[in-house]
């Protein structure tokens, strides 16, 4: 097997594991309910803690709780754009992002977690309105992710909700580790 073929197999396995993880976190929950409650859930986690605590790094090489909410803001921008692409174009290419570079480049850890949460809440409200307007037959429309292959709107909706749940759990664990 060539090196390129071996890499492709690993990438497909990694992609499947990522999708399975997010689907497993969502389980039978309604993705719209999860998306609608994420900002409130994070707000409850952040509320008892001062901004400087949320900027502390609980583990070497990992994001801070503040950086996580910054990442969720980025995810809203990216997913919002992807949904619009898929709704308006036929099988568009969906580009990936280097989430670590985005978090570092925007210096999220220098920002206030409460302000980032407010930004996330606003972005989510706009995108949730869009998601709720997607007709059932449109959920089968898809784009071609440059790393993960074909992704339908229906799959993306579930992945985004699972992504939220993953980061809510991560914030919960990181705040506990900072105690």
């Amino acid at each position: 097997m060539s090196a390129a073929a071996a890499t492709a197999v690993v990438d497909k396995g990694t992609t499947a594991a990522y999708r399975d993880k997010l689907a497993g976190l969502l389980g039978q929950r309604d993705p719209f309910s999860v998306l609608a409650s994420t900002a409130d859930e994070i707000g409850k986690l952040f509320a008892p803690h001062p901004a400087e605590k949320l900027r502390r790094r609980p583990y070497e090489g990992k994001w801070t709780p503040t950086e996580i909410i910054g990442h969720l803001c980025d995810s809203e921008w990216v997913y919002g754009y992807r949904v619009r692409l898929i709704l308006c174009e036929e099988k568009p290419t969906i580009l990936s992002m280097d989430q670590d570079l985005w978090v570092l480049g925007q210096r999220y850890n220098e920002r206030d977690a409460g302000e980032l949460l407010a930004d996330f809440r606003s972005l989510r409200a706009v995108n949730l309105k869009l998601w709720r307007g997607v007709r059932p037959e449109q959920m089968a429309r898809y784009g071609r992710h440059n790393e993960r292959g074909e992704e339908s709107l229906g799959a993306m909706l579930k992945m985004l909700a699972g992504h939220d749940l993953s980061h809510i759990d991560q914030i919960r664990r990181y705040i506990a580790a900072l105690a």
Side-chain angles (χ1 to χ4, degrees):
M1 179 183 308
S2 71
T7 300
V9 170
V10 170
D11 289 345
K12 286 181 183 178
T14 302
T15 295
Y18 178 70
R19 286 181 177 155
D20 290 348
K21 173 191 172 189
L22 297 181
L25 289 171
L26 181 61
Q28 297 301 310
R29 286 183 264 196
D30 173 47
F32 290 107
S33 297
V34 171
L35 296 176
S37 67
T38 297
D40 289 341
E41 291 293 318
I42 294 172
K44 289 175 191 172
L45 292 171
F46 281 3
H49 307 286
E52 56 273 4
K53 180 178 182 179
L54 298 172
R55 286 189 197 105
R56 289 188 9 225
R57 199 164 307 286
Y59 304 104
E60 184 65 35
K62 301 292 183 184
W63 289 338
T64 67
T66 299
E67 288 171 327
I68 296 167
I69 191 63
H71 165 68
L72 289 172
C73 288
D74 290 340
S75 295
E76 280 306 295
W77 283 109
V78 169
Y79 269 87
Y81 177 70
R82 290 174 181 171
V83 171
R84 288 163 176 83
L85 271 178
I86 293 169
L87 283 172
C88 301
E89 298 181 18
E90 287 302 316
K91 303 171 188 158
T93 299
I94 304 168
L95 298 177
S96 62
M97 61 184 265
D98 187 322
Q99 61 188 18
D100 292 317
L101 291 178
W102 283 43
V103 166
L104 289 172
Q106 295 176 78
R107 300 187 319 267
Y108 282 134
N109 215 36
E110 296 174 20
R111 304 239 344 246
D112 180 77
E115 290 175 8
L116 286 169
L117 181 58
D119 290 349
F120 173 74
R121 192 179 298 278
S122 296
L123 291 165
R124 174 54 60 85
V126 169
N127 285 335
L128 192 53
K129 184 176 179 180
L130 175 68
W131 274 114
R132 287 186 169 138
V134 175
R135 295 187 308 267
E137 67 272 13
Q138 291 177 305
M139 287 293 184
R141 291 182 64 87
Y142 67 90
R144 289 189 180 94
H145 192 283
N146 67 313
E147 293 176 344
R148 297 190 298 254
E150 291 182 3
E151 286 186 356
S152 70
L153 288 176
M156 287 173 56
L157 176 65
K158 292 176 183 176
M159 286 175 62
L160 183 59
H163 180 260
D164 280 9
L165 294 170
S166 175
H167 285 300
I168 289 168
D169 178 64
Q170 183 184 30
I171 290 168
R172 187 176 288 114
R173 289 182 290 111
Y174 285 15
I175 288 174
L178 291 169

